[in-house]
């Protein structure tokens, strides 16, 4: 609560780590409101999961803590190299192609997936797809490390659709050799080239287009 | 992702264990290849990769094992993977590798292959 004494008028509390809401959390929020009032500081929450939102609604605190626009802006401000927009069914990320940014973006994705009721296999495949595609862009797109790529995940009754947009060099999916034989792979003693195999095998549908000098890769993962 | 240390342990003249951290990806796959190759050059027949702590493995991580396993087999040994979580095992399943790699669920099962107790 020492933040209130530093002359600020708006305080964002990152709730990403609150997975299950307990009375301790609620007490802390009350404390935050109370102290905020004392110091004329408005308190906003970001990265609140669905269960926390439900509790806030029951306590009639939802509007106070979580106006949608404020939530979005706060999330943008907090996420550093990763810009985040999140709703109950979708996640948008914008991040540089540095290794650390990809890791931070993956952490955001994990958090988003945690809030959905998905199977363990669906989650691990989406996380792996994200990592493999982002790493491929990071290593092979020719983009400057400070340039940003975009990612969006949308869940629906059908499954999850992931879209990756980057301004790297154009590529032709059809020219990528994805023939794969485990025995031959081991015999060749090759240690690379498995990323695209994994992307192909984990995606139920994959499409690519080039628009406005940008690569747009869309992967679909259906519920099993 | 942050670089994770690999922990190497010698069991006897023939068997050594490499314990992974939480992540095996592009950042440390080359280290895994180096660690395995070094043990192979020192004539360790069995190299056990203990994945007990491993939470995430990327294609580069899988490649680091796949690309080195034949060297051990050519010398009559093997690379043995053990203590895989369901998530890590799933990645090997997706790549149809479960039937081609030696994967054991416990140290006891590993001991049966190496003929020496792994603790």
């Amino acid at each position: 609560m020492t933040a209130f004494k530093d002359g600020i008028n708006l305080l964002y509390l990152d709730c990403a780590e609150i997975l299950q809401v307990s009375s301790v959390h609620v007490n802390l929020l009350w404390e935050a409101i109370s102290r905020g009032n004392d110091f004329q500081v408005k308190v906003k929450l970001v990265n609140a999961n669905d269960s926390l939102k439900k509790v806030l609604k029951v306590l009639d605190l939802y509007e106070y803590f979580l106006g949608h626009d404020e939530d979005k802006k706060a999330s943008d401000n907090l996420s550093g190299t990763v810009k985040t927009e999140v709703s109950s069914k979708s996640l948008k990320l914008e991040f540089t192609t540095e290794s650390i940014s990809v890791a931070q973006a993956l952490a955001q994705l994990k958090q988003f997936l945690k809030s959905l009721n998905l199977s363990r296999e669906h989650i691990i495949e989406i996380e792996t797809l994200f990592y493999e595609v982002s790493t491929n862009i990071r290593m092979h797109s020719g983009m400057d490390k400070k340039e940003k790529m975009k990612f969006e995940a949308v869940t629906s009754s059908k499954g999850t659709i992931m879209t990756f947009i980057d301004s790297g060099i154009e590529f032709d999916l059809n020219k990528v050799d994805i023939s794969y034989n485990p025995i031959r792979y081991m015999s060749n003693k090759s240690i690379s080239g498995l990323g695209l195999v994994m992307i192909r095998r984990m995606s139920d549908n994959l499409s690519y287009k080039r628009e406005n000098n940008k690569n747009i890769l869309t992967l679909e993962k259906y519920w099993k | 992702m942050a670089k994770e240390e690999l922990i190497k342990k010698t069991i006897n003249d023939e068997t050594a264990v490499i314990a992974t951290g939480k992540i095996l990806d592009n950042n440390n796959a080359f280290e895994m290849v180096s660690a395995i190759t070094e043990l192979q050059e020192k004539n360790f027949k069995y190299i056990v990769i203990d994945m007990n702590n491993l939470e995430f493995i990327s294609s580069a991580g899988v490649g680091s094992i796949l690309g080195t396993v034949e060297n051990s087999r050519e010398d009559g040994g093997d690379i043995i993977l053990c203590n895989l979580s369901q998530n890590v095992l799933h990645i090997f399943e997706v790549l149809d590798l479960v039937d081609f790699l030696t994967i054991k669920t416990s140290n006891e099962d590993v001991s049966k292959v190496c003929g020496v107790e792994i603790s």
Side-chain angles (χ1 to χ4, degrees):
Chain A
M1 296 299 170
T2 54
F4 291 135
K5 294 169 186 168
D6 293 336
I8 58 166
N9 54 22
L10 182 60
L11 177 69
Y12 292 116
L13 297 179
D14 189 347
C15 301
E17 298 294 319
I18 302 179
L19 303 177
Q20 288 202 323
V21 187
S22 70
S23 59
V24 174
H25 298 123
V26 175
N27 287 337
L28 278 171
L29 294 179
W30 278 116
E31 177 81 1
I33 294 172
S34 162
R35 292 293 186 90
N37 285 338
D38 290 346
F39 289 90
Q40 283 88 50
V41 177
K42 186 125 176 117
V43 180
K44 290 280 180 187
L45 306 185
V46 289
N47 297 325
N49 67 16
D50 285 346
S51 58
L52 178 55
K53 286 176 182 174
K54 270 182 203 165
V55 172
L56 292 175
K57 277 178 185 164
V58 170
L59 296 172
D60 208 18
L61 289 171
Y62 188 89
E63 283 307 315
Y64 181 88
F65 276 125
L66 287 164
H68 180 69
D69 288 339
E70 288 299 322
D71 193 17
K72 231 170 69 174
K73 277 186 219 158
S75 185
D76 283 353
N77 289 338
L78 271 182
S79 52
T81 53
V82 182
K83 274 191 174 181
T84 312
E85 280 183 41
V86 61
S87 74
S88 59
K89 296 286 180 191
S90 72
L91 172 74
K92 283 184 187 177
L93 300 172
E94 194 177 331
F95 52 99
T96 65
T97 54
E98 295 160 300
S99 176
I100 183 72
S101 298
V102 172
Q104 285 172 349
L106 179 60
Q108 296 274 347
L109 176 63
K110 278 174 186 268
Q111 198 63 47
F112 170 69
L113 295 171
K114 242 184 214 177
S115 69
L116 305 171
N117 191 22
L118 307 179
S119 71
R120 179 183 54 76
E121 286 184 1
H122 197 90
I123 289 175
I124 188 65
E125 291 196 6
I126 290 174
E127 288 175 2
T128 303
L129 283 167
F130 174 85
Y131 179 84
E132 294 296 336
V133 174
S134 300
T135 300
N136 230 301
I137 292 169
R138 182 169 74 81
M139 296 178 79
H140 305 298
S141 71
M143 281 169 70
D144 185 280
K145 297 290 176 215
K146 296 288 177 191
E147 260 187 281
K148 287 184 175 175
M149 57 176 287
K150 289 179 179 175
F151 168 78
E152 182 175 20
V154 180
T155 58
S156 68
S157 56
K158 198 175 165 191
T160 306
I161 299 172
M162 285 170 280
T163 307
F164 298 82
I165 302 174
D166 71 82
S167 52
I169 52 172
E170 185 174 4
F171 61 93
D172 186 349
L173 260 189
N174 297 319
K175 285 186 182 167
V176 177
D177 179 16
I178 51 129
S179 58
Y180 168 70
N181 178 318
I183 299 173
R184 202 168 56 223
Y185 193 94
M186 285 193 280
S187 304
N188 290 343
K189 300 177 185 177
S190 171
I191 60 167
S192 62
L194 281 175
L196 288 170
V197 177
M198 280 167 77
I199 291 166
R200 284 276 191 187
R201 290 192 161 210
M202 289 181 176
S203 307
D204 292 307
N205 196 22
L206 192 151
S207 64
Y208 167 81
K209 62 183 174 183
R210 180 86 176 171
E211 263 180 21
N212 301 323
N213 291 324
K214 290 191 187 302
N215 298 309
I216 303 172
L217 181 68
T218 304
L219 310 181
E220 293 181 42
K221 182 86 203 145
Y222 306 140
W223 309 127
K224 292 285 188 296
Chain B
M1 292 192 190
K3 209 167 183 175
E4 300 235 354
E5 292 288 321
L6 303 172
I7 299 166
K8 285 175 271 183
K9 189 167 96 177
T10 301
I11 304 297
N12 63 14
D13 290 346
E14 285 197 326
T15 306
V17 177
I18 300 173
T20 69
K22 287 183 178 177
I23 297 163
L24 185 54
D25 65 359
N26 294 59
N27 289 310
N28 58 359
F30 186 73
E31 264 178 69
M32 176 60 91
V33 174
S34 299
I36 293 172
T37 307
E38 188 188 324
L39 292 170
Q40 287 169 333
E41 284 170 354
K42 288 179 180 170
N43 297 319
F44 281 94
K45 196 173 168 187
Y46 296 108
I47 299 167
V48 181
I49 313 288
D50 185 350
M51 298 184 161
N52 191 42
N53 294 321
L54 192 63
E55 294 175 2
F56 182 86
I57 187 166
S58 75
S59 60
V62 176
S64 69
I65 294 160
L66 222 53
T68 50
V69 71
E70 270 311 295
N71 287 336
S72 287
R73 289 179 177 177
E74 283 166 3
D75 293 335
D78 204 352
I79 291 178
I80 302 155
L81 311 183
C82 73
N83 298 318
L84 283 70
S85 69
Q86 287 295 310
N87 285 351
V88 173
L89 182 62
H90 182 67
I91 301 298
F92 286 93
E93 286 170 345
V94 167
L95 290 168
D96 289 338
L97 292 170
V98 175
D99 293 336
F100 300 107
L101 292 173
T102 306
I103 298 175
K104 299 295 174 188
T105 50
S106 67
N107 289 348
E108 289 73 31
D109 289 339
V110 175
S111 300
K112 287 174 193 164
V113 179
C114 307
V116 61
E117 195 174 321
I118 309 288
S119 55

